[in-house]
Amino acid sequence: MPAMLRPALTAFSVACLMSAASLASSGSALAQAKQQAPAQQTAPAQPQAPVLKQVALTDKQLDGVLAAQKDMDALTEKLPENTAPDQKVIAQLDDVAKKHGFAGYDEYNNVVDNISLVIGGFDPATKKYVGTDAVIKAQIAQVQADKKMPAKDKKEALDELNEALKTPAPQVENKGNIDLVAKYYDKLVVVLGDDEN
């Protein structure tokens, strides 16, 4: 999303919506590339949405994500876009995840994806869970009402938001995750909100 759109949409809410709608955050893209590398050698590449393994989140996991984020960001910010990480980087990501209480990077990444799924349904203004469709519709209305946004940027933003609305995020299976994410909402916004910058 172009930097010019940030005044109309908060970077975090767009990041959460896109992450929740596609479940393809930078972290899951790394894990997906790691998992799909052997498969791509034997079969033609078919674009598929990654499947999220929903889990019941715990306080310990959210504390681990919050504590690990600075170290994770330091590693992932150095990676070139749209390329799979090498084995050295994967080992470093695993080490950081283990240092913060996860079995490895895959578990850490799955927890982040579960958090993103839930947080994508929070209204940033009220900090209440309303679901991703309601958040996307509110952002569409916000963009449409913005008289200062250049027409080209407005069209691009509306196209992205309407596309996100067509591909709804999966329903949150573990309803307790909503209350847990609400408890940590402000902290999560700070550490995970910069994923798309």
Side-chain angles (χ1 to χ4, degrees), residues 61-159:
Q61 289 172 320
L62 271 70
D63 287 335
V65 167
L66 291 169
Q69 200 60 41
K70 184 177 179 180
D71 293 338
M72 288 292 184
D73 286 346
L75 290 171
T76 57
E77 285 174 358
K78 297 174 187 175
L79 296 175
E81 287 189 38
N82 301 321
T83 58
D86 61 29
Q87 291 303 316
K88 180 181 174 188
V89 174
I90 291 170
Q92 291 172 328
L93 292 169
D94 271 336
D95 288 345
V96 170
K98 288 175 184 175
K99 174 182 163 187
H100 294 285
F102 297 95
Y105 182 70
D106 289 339
E107 180 190 5
Y108 164 85
N109 191 60
N110 191 59
V111 169
V112 170
D113 284 347
N114 274 268
I115 293 168
S116 296
L117 173 65
V118 175
I119 212 163
F122 272 79
D123 178 343
T126 64
K127 300 180 186 178
K128 301 287 184 206
Y129 185 84
V130 295
T132 55
D133 285 354
V135 173
I136 294 170
K137 288 175 183 176
Q139 288 187 332
I140 288 171
Q142 184 181 14
V143 171
Q144 288 171 333
D146 188 340
K147 303 294 184 204
K148 296 180 181 179
M149 182 183 282
K152 180 183 175 191
D153 293 341
K154 184 179 282 195
K155 180 187 179 324
E156 183 178 324
L158 289 172
D159 288 348

XYZ file of all heavy atoms in Angstrom, residues 61-159:
751
model
N 2.232 -17.287 25.201
C 2.539 -17.115 23.778
C 2.531 -15.633 23.394
O 3.414 -15.179 22.668
C 1.542 -17.879 22.917
C 1.708 -19.374 22.972
C 0.583 -20.102 22.270
O -0.590 -19.714 22.360
N 0.935 -21.161 21.559
N 1.533 -14.891 23.868
C 1.479 -13.474 23.521
C 2.650 -12.719 24.137
O 3.240 -11.853 23.482
C 0.135 -12.864 23.922
C -0.912 -12.982 22.816
C -1.388 -14.384 22.588
C -2.051 -12.045 23.037
N 3.012 -13.068 25.363
C 4.199 -12.455 25.977
C 5.444 -12.781 25.151
O 6.300 -11.918 24.940
C 4.384 -12.955 27.410
C 3.373 -12.368 28.385
O 2.834 -11.267 28.121
O 3.115 -13.013 29.427
N 5.540 -14.028 24.665
C 6.680 -14.434 23.841
C 6.756 -13.666 22.542
O 7.835 -13.243 22.109
N 5.618 -13.471 21.896
C 5.586 -12.696 20.650
C 6.015 -11.260 20.911
O 6.826 -10.693 20.171
C 4.186 -12.739 20.001
C 4.048 -11.692 18.904
C 3.892 -14.126 19.445
N 5.485 -10.671 21.965
C 5.837 -9.290 22.288
C 7.335 -9.163 22.575
O 7.977 -8.215 22.117
C 5.016 -8.797 23.486
C 3.521 -8.612 23.222
C 2.771 -8.394 24.534
C 3.257 -7.476 22.251
N 7.880 -10.127 23.296
C 9.309 -10.077 23.641
C 10.201 -10.343 22.434
O 11.292 -9.777 22.324
C 9.606 -11.090 24.749
N 9.749 -11.194 21.512
C 10.574 -11.597 20.369
C 10.539 -10.609 19.210
O 11.429 -10.629 18.354
C 10.122 -12.967 19.861
N 9.558 -9.760 19.165
C 9.331 -8.967 17.960
C 10.523 -8.114 17.549
O 10.850 -8.028 16.369
C 8.081 -8.104 18.115
C 7.523 -7.642 16.805
C 7.134 -8.811 15.913
O 6.584 -9.797 16.364
N 7.429 -8.697 14.638
N 11.188 -7.505 18.491
C 12.329 -6.645 18.152
C 13.428 -7.458 17.466
O 13.976 -7.057 16.441
C 12.867 -5.952 19.406
C 13.987 -4.978 19.136
C 14.427 -4.268 20.411
C 15.565 -3.307 20.125
N 16.016 -2.608 21.334
N 13.734 -8.640 18.028
C 14.760 -9.499 17.430
C 14.317 -10.024 16.063
O 15.120 -10.111 15.133
C 15.076 -10.685 18.353
C 15.740 -10.256 19.652
O 16.329 -9.156 19.692
O 15.663 -11.018 20.635
N 13.050 -10.395 15.954
C 12.524 -10.900 14.672
C 12.588 -9.806 13.603
O 13.003 -10.053 12.473
C 11.081 -11.395 14.820
C 10.943 -12.676 15.584
S 11.649 -14.053 14.663
C 11.235 -15.402 15.748
N 12.165 -8.617 13.974
C 12.197 -7.503 13.021
C 13.621 -7.222 12.547
O 13.843 -6.934 11.369
C 11.598 -6.233 13.632
C 10.081 -6.284 13.745
O 9.457 -7.181 13.120
O 9.514 -5.439 14.462
N 14.582 -7.308 13.459
C 15.978 -7.052 13.087
C 16.435 -8.034 12.005
O 17.190 -7.664 11.103
C 16.876 -7.155 14.309
N 15.969 -9.274 12.078
C 16.340 -10.273 11.069
C 15.558 -10.103 9.768
O 16.121 -10.133 8.676
C 16.119 -11.686 11.609
C 17.062 -12.148 12.708
C 16.590 -13.474 13.298
C 18.476 -12.284 12.162
N 14.250 -9.930 9.876
C 13.416 -9.915 8.672
C 13.538 -8.616 7.876
O 13.320 -8.620 6.670
C 11.937 -10.186 9.008
O 11.473 -9.202 9.959
C 11.761 -11.580 9.586
N 13.893 -7.518 8.539
C 14.047 -6.255 7.816
C 15.198 -6.291 6.822
O 15.202 -5.549 5.842
C 14.241 -5.096 8.799
C 12.974 -4.691 9.512
C 13.207 -3.649 10.584
O 14.371 -3.245 10.812
O 12.224 -3.230 11.212
N 16.168 -7.141 7.052
C 17.332 -7.242 6.176
C 17.070 -8.103 4.944
O 17.850 -8.083 3.998
C 18.514 -7.840 6.945
C 18.976 -6.999 8.113
C 20.047 -7.715 8.897
C 20.397 -6.953 10.158
N 21.343 -7.696 10.991
N 15.976 -8.856 4.954
C 15.696 -9.768 3.846
C 15.150 -9.020 2.639
O 14.285 -8.152 2.785
C 14.674 -10.828 4.278
C 15.101 -11.769 5.386
C 13.935 -12.669 5.780
C 16.288 -12.604 4.947
N 15.602 -9.369 1.437
C 15.010 -8.772 0.244
C 13.576 -9.281 0.084
O 13.257 -10.410 0.478
C 15.898 -9.261 -0.907
C 16.874 -10.217 -0.327
C 16.704 -10.263 1.143
N 12.710 -8.440 -0.469
C 11.311 -8.820 -0.668
C 11.185 -9.952 -1.676
O 11.965 -10.052 -2.619
C 10.497 -7.608 -1.145
C 10.250 -6.595 -0.048
C 9.276 -5.523 -0.482
O 8.318 -5.832 -1.185
O 9.523 -4.368 -0.102
N 10.184 -10.773 -1.459
C 9.802 -11.848 -2.384
C 10.906 -12.866 -2.652
O 10.988 -13.414 -3.747
C 9.287 -11.267 -3.706
C 8.094 -10.372 -3.497
O 7.224 -10.659 -2.677
N 8.052 -9.276 -4.228
N 11.762 -13.098 -1.677
C 12.760 -14.151 -1.823
C 12.732 -15.021 -0.580
O 12.495 -14.537 0.530
C 14.191 -13.592 -2.000
O 14.508 -12.780 -0.871
C 14.337 -12.797 -3.275
N 12.963 -16.292 -0.773
C 12.995 -17.217 0.348
C 14.288 -17.010 1.130
O 15.342 -16.797 0.540
C 12.903 -18.650 -0.157
N 14.212 -17.079 2.451
C 15.428 -16.915 3.252
C 16.333 -18.133 3.103
O 15.864 -19.238 2.848
C 14.893 -16.793 4.673
C 13.588 -17.494 4.651
C 13.031 -17.291 3.275
N 17.625 -17.904 3.269
C 18.554 -19.030 3.207
C 18.547 -19.768 4.540
O 17.928 -19.336 5.516
C 19.952 -18.572 2.805
C 20.574 -17.586 3.796
O 20.241 -17.648 5.009
O 21.390 -16.768 3.370
N 19.237 -20.888 4.594
C 19.237 -21.734 5.792
C 19.821 -21.010 7.012
O 19.386 -21.240 8.132
C 20.020 -23.028 5.515
C 19.323 -23.958 4.531
C 17.926 -24.351 4.988
O 17.702 -24.676 6.146
N 16.970 -24.297 4.070
N 20.769 -20.116 6.786
C 21.362 -19.365 7.892
C 20.308 -18.476 8.554
O 20.201 -18.431 9.784
C 22.537 -18.524 7.383
C 23.213 -17.701 8.459
C 24.350 -16.861 7.881
C 24.924 -15.935 8.931
N 25.875 -14.989 8.380
N 19.514 -17.783 7.747
C 18.470 -16.905 8.279
C 17.387 -17.724 8.970
O 16.911 -17.364 10.051
C 17.870 -16.015 7.164
C 16.683 -15.220 7.679
C 18.938 -15.085 6.599
N 17.018 -18.856 8.369
C 16.011 -19.722 8.982
C 16.497 -20.197 10.353
O 15.733 -20.192 11.327
C 15.679 -20.905 8.054
C 14.933 -20.394 6.819
C 14.846 -21.956 8.783
C 14.759 -21.419 5.719
N 17.762 -20.561 10.443
C 18.333 -20.997 11.728
C 18.300 -19.849 12.745
O 17.996 -20.064 13.932
C 19.758 -21.494 11.528
N 18.594 -18.624 12.305
C 18.555 -17.469 13.204
C 17.128 -17.199 13.687
O 16.915 -16.893 14.861
C 19.119 -16.228 12.510
C 20.606 -16.292 12.262
C 21.094 -15.125 11.406
O 20.385 -14.614 10.545
N 22.339 -14.716 11.654
N 16.152 -17.313 12.786
C 14.745 -17.116 13.164
C 14.320 -18.178 14.172
O 13.617 -17.880 15.146
C 13.848 -17.160 11.922
C 14.009 -15.997 10.941
C 13.268 -16.279 9.641
C 13.526 -14.687 11.554
N 14.724 -19.419 13.940
C 14.428 -20.499 14.885
C 15.038 -20.207 16.256
O 14.391 -20.411 17.288
C 14.953 -21.839 14.360
C 13.944 -22.579 13.504
O 12.726 -22.344 13.652
O 14.386 -23.405 12.680
N 16.287 -19.742 16.262
C 16.969 -19.434 17.524
C 16.233 -18.347 18.311
O 16.051 -18.459 19.522
C 18.411 -18.999 17.274
C 19.314 -20.145 16.839
O 18.911 -21.328 17.003
O 20.422 -19.858 16.322
N 15.810 -17.295 17.620
C 15.079 -16.214 18.290
C 13.766 -16.751 18.849
O 13.399 -16.462 19.992
C 14.828 -15.027 17.330
C 13.870 -14.018 17.952
C 16.145 -14.354 16.965
N 13.054 -17.543 18.059
C 11.781 -18.104 18.522
C 11.992 -18.968 19.761
O 11.247 -18.855 20.749
C 11.126 -18.907 17.398
N 13.008 -19.815 19.725
C 13.290 -20.700 20.866
C 13.676 -19.896 22.107
O 13.281 -20.233 23.229
C 14.393 -21.686 20.501
C 13.921 -22.744 19.513
C 15.054 -23.639 19.063
C 14.564 -24.630 18.009
N 15.660 -25.441 17.454
N 14.426 -18.837 21.903
C 14.845 -17.969 23.015
C 13.626 -17.389 23.742
O 13.675 -17.117 24.939
C 15.730 -16.843 22.460
C 16.123 -15.775 23.446
C 16.958 -14.709 22.751
C 17.048 -13.442 23.548
N 17.711 -12.362 22.809
N 12.517 -17.228 23.015
C 11.317 -16.616 23.587
C 10.200 -17.617 23.860
O 9.028 -17.241 23.934
C 10.853 -15.478 22.683
C 11.834 -14.347 22.636
N 11.990 -13.447 23.668
C 12.749 -13.989 21.700
C 12.939 -12.580 23.368
N 13.417 -12.887 22.174
N 10.572 -18.905 23.991
C 9.625 -19.892 24.477
C 8.866 -20.697 23.438
O 7.952 -21.444 23.790
N 9.219 -20.570 22.174
C 8.536 -21.323 21.125
C 9.377 -22.522 20.726
O 10.597 -22.523 20.881
C 8.280 -20.423 19.907
C 7.372 -19.270 20.214
C 7.891 -18.029 20.561
C 5.994 -19.432 20.178
C 7.057 -16.972 20.865
C 5.144 -18.372 20.487
C 5.680 -17.147 20.825
N 8.727 -23.546 20.175
C 9.444 -24.737 19.710
C 10.366 -24.381 18.545
O 11.387 -25.017 18.338
C 8.464 -25.824 19.297
N 10.001 -23.376 17.790
C 10.789 -22.923 16.648
C 10.050 -21.809 15.939
O 8.987 -21.344 16.382
N 10.595 -21.395 14.808
C 10.016 -20.284 14.058
C 8.622 -20.620 13.531
O 7.746 -19.760 13.514
C 10.935 -19.866 12.908
C 10.369 -18.697 12.148
C 10.313 -17.437 12.734
C 9.861 -18.845 10.865
C 9.776 -16.357 12.060
C 9.327 -17.771 10.178
C 9.281 -16.528 10.785
O 8.739 -15.469 10.117
N 8.396 -21.862 13.132
C 7.083 -22.223 12.610
C 5.991 -22.017 13.664
O 4.923 -21.495 13.362
C 7.071 -23.667 12.102
C 7.865 -23.835 10.808
O 8.087 -22.827 10.095
O 8.260 -24.973 10.510
N 6.255 -22.428 14.896
C 5.265 -22.234 15.962
C 5.068 -20.738 16.236
O 3.941 -20.255 16.360
C 5.679 -22.938 17.251
C 4.648 -22.748 18.359
C 5.086 -23.204 19.740
O 6.257 -23.603 19.916
O 4.247 -23.141 20.646
N 6.171 -20.007 16.334
C 6.094 -18.558 16.546
C 5.236 -17.908 15.454
O 4.334 -17.125 15.730
C 7.504 -17.944 16.543
C 7.515 -16.447 16.369
C 7.359 -15.604 17.454
C 7.652 -15.880 15.093
C 7.349 -14.235 17.292
C 7.637 -14.507 14.933
C 7.486 -13.685 16.024
O 7.455 -12.325 15.858
N 5.526 -18.266 14.217
C 4.823 -17.682 13.088
C 3.337 -18.027 13.115
O 2.484 -17.194 12.816
C 5.460 -18.165 11.784
C 4.937 -17.385 10.615
O 5.096 -16.184 10.569
N 4.292 -18.080 9.699
N 3.000 -19.245 13.493
C 1.602 -19.645 13.571
C 0.863 -18.841 14.643
O -0.281 -18.430 14.450
C 1.468 -21.150 13.834
C 0.044 -21.618 13.640
O -0.526 -21.468 12.563
N -0.533 -22.161 14.686
N 1.526 -18.583 15.765
C 0.930 -17.767 16.814
C 0.697 -16.341 16.302
O -0.380 -15.771 16.502
C 1.803 -17.778 18.093
C 1.338 -16.718 19.094
C 1.784 -19.164 18.730
N 1.682 -15.771 15.606
C 1.520 -14.425 15.042
C 0.353 -14.397 14.047
O -0.449 -13.464 14.048
C 2.830 -13.930 14.382
C 2.598 -12.652 13.593
C 3.906 -13.708 15.436
N 0.238 -15.431 13.221
C -0.871 -15.489 12.265
C -2.221 -15.590 12.976
O -3.202 -14.981 12.543
C -0.687 -16.646 11.291
C 0.363 -16.361 10.228
O 0.777 -15.190 10.071
O 0.771 -17.316 9.536
N -2.281 -16.340 14.068
C -3.517 -16.431 14.841
C -3.864 -15.087 15.472
O -5.029 -14.683 15.487
C -3.396 -17.516 15.925
C -3.754 -18.892 15.423
O -4.897 -19.313 15.516
N -2.788 -19.602 14.863
N -2.852 -14.381 15.968
C -3.075 -13.043 16.520
C -3.579 -12.111 15.417
O -4.540 -11.358 15.609
C -1.782 -12.484 17.146
C -1.389 -13.284 18.385
C -1.944 -10.994 17.487
C 0.018 -12.985 18.900
N -2.954 -12.168 14.245
C -3.341 -11.300 13.127
C -4.773 -11.568 12.687
O -5.509 -10.640 12.340
C -2.385 -11.500 11.947
O -1.090 -11.090 12.302
N -5.169 -12.838 12.680
C -6.536 -13.189 12.315
C -7.523 -12.503 13.253
O -8.505 -11.908 12.811
C -6.727 -14.712 12.368
C -8.161 -15.211 12.175
C -8.649 -14.889 10.762
C -8.243 -16.701 12.451
N -7.241 -12.554 14.528
C -8.145 -11.958 15.513
C -8.086 -10.441 15.457
O -9.112 -9.762 15.387
C -7.811 -12.459 16.936
C -8.666 -11.744 17.980
C -7.997 -13.967 17.027
N -6.889 -9.889 15.462
C -6.738 -8.436 15.554
C -7.271 -7.738 14.303
O -7.682 -6.584 14.358
C -5.283 -8.051 15.881
C -5.266 -6.782 16.722
C -4.440 -7.890 14.647
C -3.961 -6.549 17.422
N -7.298 -8.454 13.182
C -7.856 -7.884 11.954
C -9.344 -7.596 12.056
O -9.896 -6.844 11.260
N -9.999 -8.168 13.054
C -11.419 -7.929 13.259
C -11.714 -6.900 14.338
O -12.875 -6.672 14.684
N -10.677 -6.258 14.871
C -10.885 -5.224 15.893
C -11.051 -3.861 15.236
O -10.285 -3.493 14.349
C -9.684 -5.169 16.853
C -9.797 -6.096 18.019
C -9.529 -7.442 17.876
C -10.179 -5.621 19.263
C -9.632 -8.313 18.942
C -10.282 -6.485 20.342
C -10.013 -7.831 20.188
N -12.039 -3.126 15.691
C -12.221 -1.747 15.273
C -11.154 -0.926 15.996
O -11.142 -0.883 17.233
C -13.620 -1.262 15.658
C -13.875 0.192 15.306
O -12.920 0.951 15.052
O -15.059 0.585 15.276
N -10.234 -0.297 15.256
C -9.158 0.441 15.919
C -9.651 1.610 16.775
O -8.998 1.985 17.738
C -8.285 0.953 14.774
C -8.786 0.340 13.526
C -10.112 -0.269 13.808
N -10.796 2.165 16.444
C -11.309 3.304 17.204
C -11.871 2.866 18.556
O -11.590 3.482 19.585
C -12.382 4.037 16.404
N -12.651 1.788 18.559
C -13.294 1.349 19.794
C -12.513 0.260 20.520
O -12.794 -0.029 21.682
C -14.705 0.803 19.507
O -14.588 -0.368 18.687
C -15.566 1.843 18.824
N -11.564 -0.361 19.815
C -10.784 -1.480 20.346
C -11.688 -2.654 20.735
O -11.403 -3.396 21.663
C -9.912 -1.042 21.522
C -8.908 0.036 21.158
C -8.077 0.429 22.349
C -7.182 1.615 21.980
N -6.391 2.057 23.116
N -12.782 -2.794 20.016
C -13.730 -3.891 20.225
C -13.709 -4.780 18.998
O -13.556 -4.301 17.863
C -15.154 -3.361 20.434
C -15.309 -2.425 21.598
C -15.237 -3.152 22.910
C -15.494 -2.192 24.063
N -14.904 -2.589 25.291
N -13.910 -6.070 19.215
C -13.947 -7.014 18.098
C -15.296 -6.894 17.393
O -16.351 -7.049 17.995
C -13.733 -8.447 18.600
C -13.643 -9.429 17.468
C -12.435 -9.626 16.807
C -14.751 -10.138 17.034
C -12.331 -10.519 15.748
C -14.660 -11.041 15.978
C -13.455 -11.215 15.341
O -13.362 -12.091 14.291
N -15.251 -6.611 16.089
C -16.470 -6.484 15.291
C -16.443 -7.408 14.077
O -17.428 -7.516 13.361
C -16.699 -5.017 14.827
C -16.956 -4.101 16.027
C -15.535 -4.508 13.989
N -15.309 -8.037 13.803
C -15.153 -8.910 12.642
C -14.483 -8.170 11.496
O -14.589 -6.945 11.375
N -13.789 -8.926 10.643
C -13.017 -8.293 9.569
C -13.903 -7.610 8.539
O -13.548 -6.549 8.028
C -12.109 -9.308 8.862
O -12.879 -10.400 8.396
C -11.004 -9.791 9.773
N -15.067 -8.191 8.226
C -15.947 -7.559 7.244
C -16.364 -6.161 7.689
O -16.346 -5.219 6.896
C -17.191 -8.416 6.980
C -16.899 -9.637 6.127
O -15.754 -9.775 5.634
O -17.823 -10.457 5.940
N -16.743 -6.027 8.951
C -17.164 -4.720 9.463
C -16.013 -3.718 9.427
O -16.210 -2.546 9.086
C -17.693 -4.864 10.891
N -14.806 -4.177 9.746
C -13.639 -3.283 9.729
C -13.345 -2.839 8.296
O -13.099 -1.658 8.039
C -12.411 -3.969 10.362
C -11.163 -3.116 10.190
C -12.656 -4.249 11.835
N -13.384 -3.769 7.356
C -13.117 -3.437 5.954
C -14.169 -2.458 5.435
O -13.840 -1.470 4.768
C -13.066 -4.698 5.078
C -11.861 -5.556 5.462
C -13.000 -4.335 3.591
C -11.861 -6.941 4.825
N -15.440 -2.708 5.725
C -16.506 -1.810 5.271
C -16.336 -0.410 5.857
O -16.549 0.590 5.162
C -17.874 -2.391 5.635
C -18.235 -3.594 4.794
C -19.537 -4.228 5.246
C -19.820 -5.486 4.427
N -21.033 -6.183 4.908
N -15.918 -0.328 7.110
C -15.678 0.986 7.726
C -14.517 1.698 7.038
O -14.565 2.908 6.816
C -15.399 0.819 9.216
N -13.487 0.944 6.670
C -12.352 1.565 5.987
C -12.727 1.996 4.571
O -12.267 3.027 4.092
C -11.157 0.618 5.970
C -10.541 0.479 7.341
C -9.258 -0.315 7.339
O -9.059 -1.182 6.498
N -8.400 -0.028 8.283
N -13.577 1.233 3.905
C -14.055 1.641 2.578
C -14.793 2.969 2.695
O -14.550 3.896 1.913
C -14.946 0.545 1.952
C -14.084 -0.661 1.534
C -15.728 1.092 0.756
C -14.883 -1.882 1.097
N -15.670 3.076 3.685
C -16.408 4.329 3.891
C -15.457 5.476 4.209
O -15.634 6.599 3.713
C -17.429 4.155 5.012
N -14.429 5.205 4.987
C -13.456 6.238 5.345
C -12.706 6.728 4.104
O -12.509 7.932 3.920
C -12.488 5.670 6.383
C -11.496 6.662 6.916
C -10.541 6.047 7.935
O -10.448 4.829 8.072
N -9.826 6.900 8.644
N -12.288 5.808 3.257
C -11.573 6.190 2.035
C -12.496 6.971 1.103
O -12.110 7.990 0.530
C -10.982 4.954 1.325
C -10.435 5.313 -0.047
C -9.872 4.337 2.176
N -13.724 6.500 0.943
C -14.676 7.184 0.061
C -14.947 8.609 0.535
O -15.134 9.513 -0.277
C -15.982 6.395 -0.023
C -15.851 5.125 -0.819
C -17.082 4.233 -0.736
O -17.834 4.250 0.232
N -17.282 3.423 -1.772
N -14.963 8.813 1.840
C -15.258 10.138 2.394
C -14.050 11.073 2.382
O -14.207 12.279 2.548
C -15.769 9.993 3.822
N -12.866 10.556 2.149
C -11.652 11.371 2.176
C -11.573 12.232 0.921
O -11.351 11.736 -0.180
C -10.424 10.466 2.287
C -9.136 11.245 2.517
O -9.089 12.467 2.226
O -8.162 10.630 2.981
N -11.736 13.519 1.105
C -11.725 14.469 -0.023
C -10.301 14.886 -0.413
O -10.100 15.423 -1.497
C -12.538 15.726 0.326
C -13.963 15.443 0.719
C -14.765 14.891 -0.431
C -16.207 14.706 -0.016
N -16.915 13.719 -0.780
N -9.324 14.639 0.456
C -7.960 15.077 0.188
C -7.109 14.011 -0.501
O -6.063 14.332 -1.045
C -7.284 15.492 1.502
C -7.937 16.694 2.148
C -7.257 17.071 3.430
C -7.961 18.268 4.060
N -7.358 18.660 5.326
N -7.559 12.772 -0.498
C -6.780 11.695 -1.101
C -6.829 11.811 -2.621
O -7.894 11.967 -3.195
C -7.344 10.339 -0.668
C -6.552 9.152 -1.207
S -7.272 7.555 -0.748
C -6.712 7.445 0.936
N -5.657 11.721 -3.271
C -5.643 11.772 -4.734
C -6.484 10.628 -5.317
O -6.530 9.527 -4.775
C -4.160 11.592 -5.083
C -3.420 12.008 -3.850
C -4.306 11.653 -2.698
N -7.149 10.903 -6.434
C -8.075 9.936 -7.045
C -7.406 8.593 -7.331
O -7.997 7.531 -7.106
C -8.661 10.522 -8.325
N -6.173 8.640 -7.830
C -5.474 7.394 -8.152
C -5.258 6.553 -6.896
O -5.478 5.340 -6.893
C -4.128 7.717 -8.814
C -3.307 6.499 -9.184
C -1.967 6.883 -9.770
C -1.131 5.638 -10.003
N 0.248 5.946 -10.311
N -4.815 7.196 -5.808
C -4.590 6.496 -4.552
C -5.903 5.973 -3.966
O -5.957 4.872 -3.414
C -3.896 7.404 -3.541
C -2.472 7.752 -3.958
O -1.897 7.033 -4.805
O -1.938 8.758 -3.445
N -6.951 6.785 -4.091
C -8.257 6.372 -3.582
C -8.737 5.129 -4.320
O -9.213 4.170 -3.705
C -9.281 7.504 -3.732
C -10.639 7.178 -3.132
C -11.622 8.316 -3.282
C -11.349 9.386 -2.274
N -12.474 10.342 -2.140
N -8.590 5.130 -5.649
C -9.017 3.971 -6.436
C -8.234 2.729 -6.037
O -8.797 1.650 -5.844
C -8.857 4.237 -7.933
C -9.297 3.064 -8.808
C -8.977 3.288 -10.269
C -9.379 2.148 -11.169
N -9.261 0.803 -10.672
N -6.918 2.874 -5.881
C -6.073 1.739 -5.496
C -6.477 1.201 -4.121
O -6.591 -0.011 -3.921
C -4.603 2.161 -5.485
C -3.655 1.023 -5.177
C -2.195 1.455 -5.216
O -1.829 2.304 -6.047
O -1.427 0.925 -4.390
N -6.695 2.112 -3.169
C -7.094 1.700 -1.819
C -8.446 0.988 -1.844
O -8.616 -0.060 -1.214
C -7.140 2.904 -0.893
N -9.386 1.555 -2.585
C -10.712 0.934 -2.663
C -10.651 -0.424 -3.347
O -11.338 -1.370 -2.930
C -11.699 1.868 -3.379
C -12.103 3.109 -2.595
C -12.924 4.057 -3.460
C -12.853 2.733 -1.320
N -9.836 -0.541 -4.392
C -9.675 -1.835 -5.064
C -9.122 -2.885 -4.098
O -9.618 -4.013 -4.041
C -8.745 -1.716 -6.276
C -9.389 -0.978 -7.448
O -10.623 -0.755 -7.426
O -8.648 -0.623 -8.385
